[in-house]
Amino acid sequence: MSEKAAGLNLDRKRLDLALQAARLGEFEWDIVRGVFIVSDRMAAITGLPAGEMPVSGPQDIQDLVHPDDREALNSLIQDGLRTEGRYEAEYRLRPGPNGEIRWLRAAGIQVLDDAGKMISICGVIQNITDSRVEEDHRRTLMAEVDHRVKNVLAAVQSLAYQTAKRTTSLDSFLSNFSGRLKSMGAANELLTAARWRGAAIAHLTAAELGGIAPGQTRWTGPELFLTPRAANALSLALHELATNAVKFGALSTDAGRVDVRWTKTAGGGFELNWNESGGPPVGIPGHRGFGSTLLAQVTGRELNGEVVPEFRAGGVRVRVTAGAQTLVERPDNVPEAPAVRVFETTQKTDRPTDLRGSRVLIVEDAVLLALELETGLSDAGAEVVGPAYELAEAMALLDGHIDAAVLDANLNGLSVHPVAEALAARGIPFVFATGYGDTGAPLGFDAPIIRKPYDVTQVAAAVSALLNAT
């Protein structure tokens, strides 16, 4: 072997090692011979057969690419070769025999003859499927985090509004709102520690009762974990019950006791019983504050069950039942029981645009937010239809007379698109009030979009503007 040939052979071995180390596969499109050459490494990456395959033109090459990516890839290659004599691109191969999708990153360069005519294209490819899947997963997670944060902020705003509406002094508002806000924070802290897979009832109860009346409270029950939605609902409910016990019930005296017990029910949900004893005599309250409204209208709905209070002379008893949908399997990461916290209790009112004489449908799966919308639109003079918390509920309400609608983009994982489509077909204007970004909202309709957290007066003004435009 000549010295030159030996040198070329060594260079080839070095190139092979470099390609192997970089996990790259090489290819060549020999335009003169009309063949596309797939190396063994490229075959291993793509699943294409190694060796030469006849091609009569660019279309044969494009047939190897996913149909949705062909036009953009062809344009990118042509532009790159024309301007720089090379190209780089990311694209999908056409689906494999089992429907599998492979993402590739490719780089190619044109080879010219002495006359400057392109005679071949040589290049390398890399399998980037894992990184693209990871990127898509990360994008989905970020969209969900964005949605969740906006919903939490919207719930906080609603909590502030409902608390202020029933509070007569600033000091009382700050105390009540702070307590409810910290209750939500305690639940969210537990959920975050478990990567939002679930929170234990025992931990939620400890967070609410652990810091008040030492020795006067106890709780017991099996290890049960709640969904994020159920955890927040139960945390707020326990907070309201504890607040009332400290103010008026068993925990307002040294001799009083609060006993909390929960069990799993035959239907797969759970039942929690709150029992007060040893406190002052109990009477049926003559005034319903926001705490009572929350227990009566929000907690049961959020838990797919009910809340039944009993005002017995010997002490308040409350039975909370929840459906199987509220429970989840034990998370992989279960946090330690929360540190006890200082106990607090828990009530703006701007009159929105005049909506008298209008029937407005509310479609919102977060009960607290739906309550705020209902209150705000009713204060503006509207007759509220609903609220509808589920897609089926919303569709059923469309048969009645509706002048306008306020729609959440996502209803427990289902798109509100069918409702929007039906409203649009009937010429009924609507507003999207959503916590999702542009990629998550059912855009494509000529409708205003109000992002959570929002001021309910914003929503009322948008509805009024739509009605006045029709």
Side-chain angles (χ1 to χ4, degrees):
M1 180 183 296
S2 68
E3 184 177 341
K4 181 177 181 181
L8 290 174
N9 189 45
L10 180 60
D11 288 343
R12 178 62 187 179
K13 287 182 178 180
R14 288 171 175 167
L15 177 60
D16 286 343
L17 288 171
L19 291 173
Q20 183 178 349
R23 297 182 180 179
L24 300 175
E26 66 272 33
F27 66 86
E28 180 183 358
W29 178 17
D30 190 326
I31 300 173
V32 176
R33 294 174 54 215
V35 295
F36 188 74
I37 307 169
V38 177
S39 72
D40 291 337
R41 275 184 289 265
M42 180 172 176
I45 291 172
T46 64
L48 297 172
E52 297 183 351
M53 63 176 70
V55 294
S56 57
Q59 182 59 44
D60 293 336
I61 304 294
Q62 290 290 306
D63 286 344
L64 303 174
V65 178
H66 193 289
D68 295 344
D69 294 350
R70 289 172 187 172
E71 184 176 348
L73 178 62
N74 185 52
S75 177
L76 189 150
I77 291 175
Q78 289 185 4
D79 290 345
L81 293 176
R82 183 178 62 253
T83 58
E84 299 181 18
R86 58 185 297 133
Y87 70 88
E88 293 183 12
E90 292 184 5
Y91 60 91
R92 292 167 292 177
L93 286 178
R94 67 187 180 198
N98 297 319
E100 66 273 16
I101 296 294
R102 288 185 177 90
W103 274 95
L104 301 181
R105 177 181 290 122
I109 189 169
Q110 64 183 358
V111 179
L112 307 178
D113 63 12
D114 293 339
K117 180 180 179 181
M118 184 169 63
I119 57 175
S120 68
I121 297 176
C122 297
V124 293
I125 60 98
Q126 181 182 27
N127 187 344
I128 59 169
T129 303
D130 290 345
S131 63
R132 286 300 298 242
V133 169
E134 183 180 346
E135 181 182 339
D136 290 343
H137 182 59
R138 183 166 55 249
R139 189 181 295 114
T140 300
L141 286 177
M142 291 304 296
E144 181 58 31
V145 168
D146 182 58
H147 169 64
R148 186 172 287 154
V149 167
K150 287 176 180 174
N151 269 348
V152 168
L153 292 175
V156 169
Q157 186 181 57
S158 177
L159 204 60
Y161 178 81
Q162 294 295 334
T163 302
K165 194 176 179 70
R166 294 166 172 82
T167 304
T168 57
S169 71
L170 178 60
D171 288 344
S172 179
F173 165 78
L174 291 175
S175 175
N176 293 346
F177 178 63
S178 175
R180 287 173 174 151
L181 198 58
K182 289 184 179 181
S183 174
M184 289 182 64
N188 278 266
E189 184 178 351
L190 290 169
L191 289 165
T192 300
R195 298 180 183 176
W196 279 80
R197 301 299 184 191
I201 295 180
H203 290 178
L204 294 170
T205 309
E208 293 303 329
L209 297 181
I212 61 173
Q216 292 181 253
T217 60
R218 65 177 181 174
W219 52 92
T220 184
E223 185 180 67
L224 297 177
F225 291 87
L226 305 185
T227 66
R229 184 169 178 167
N232 276 300
L234 183 61
S235 180
L236 274 176
L238 291 171
H239 177 75
E240 295 305 325
L241 292 171
T243 294
N244 290 332
V246 168
K247 281 186 172 183
F248 317 111
L251 299 183
S252 65
T253 67
D254 292 339
R257 298 289 185 271
V258 170
D259 183 84
V260 181
R261 298 175 183 270
W262 60 90
T263 58
K264 191 170 183 178
T265 58
F270 71 89
E271 178 177 305
L272 181 144
N273 288 281
W274 172 284
N275 295 300
E276 297 184 27
S277 61
V282 174
I284 298 176
H287 168 71
R288 171 176 282 190
F290 176 59
S292 299
T293 301
L294 186 145
L295 289 169
Q297 296 185 23
V298 178
T299 306
R301 181 84 193 195
E302 294 284 70
L303 295 177
N304 298 107
E306 61 178 349
V307 177
V308 180
E310 296 181 57
F311 299 96
R312 301 184 178 186
V316 174
R317 295 188 179 183
V318 180
R319 179 170 58 88
V320 180
T321 59
Q325 307 95 314
T326 61
L327 296 180
V328 294
E329 296 295 325
R330 191 180 201 276
D332 293 333
N333 298 294
V334 178
E336 298 293 328
V340 298
R341 62 184 180 81
V342 177
F343 177 77
E344 294 115 320
T345 335
T346 71
Q347 213 198 63
K348 164 172 177 187
T349 125
D350 297 319
R351 294 193 61 83
T353 309
D354 187 359
L355 294 174
R356 285 176 294 182
S358 302
R359 286 174 57 84
V360 182
L361 169 67
I362 296 175
V363 181
E364 170 60 69
D365 65 350
V367 182
L368 197 60
L369 303 187
L371 181 63
E372 180 190 14
L373 282 171
E374 184 175 12
T375 301
L377 295 177
S378 296
D379 285 348
E383 181 180 351
V384 171
V385 180
Y389 304 99
E390 308 282 352
L391 184 60
E393 283 183 275
M395 295 300 292
L397 291 173
L398 295 180
D399 293 332
H401 173 68
I402 299 170
D403 296 307
V406 179
L407 309 179
D408 186 12
N410 183 288
L411 301 174
N412 294 314
L414 298 177
S415 172
V416 80
H417 191 278
V419 180
E421 196 170 48
L423 291 170
R426 292 172 54 184
I428 299 174
F430 52 87
V431 175
F432 286 121
T434 175
Y436 276 105
D438 290 341
T439 57
L443 306 178
F445 293 95
D446 186 17
I449 300 174
I450 300 176
R451 304 294 181 195
K452 295 176 182 177
Y454 50 70
D455 186 329
V456 71
T457 58
Q458 251 184 299
V459 180
V463 171
S464 178
L466 288 175
L467 291 173
N468 291 331
T470 58

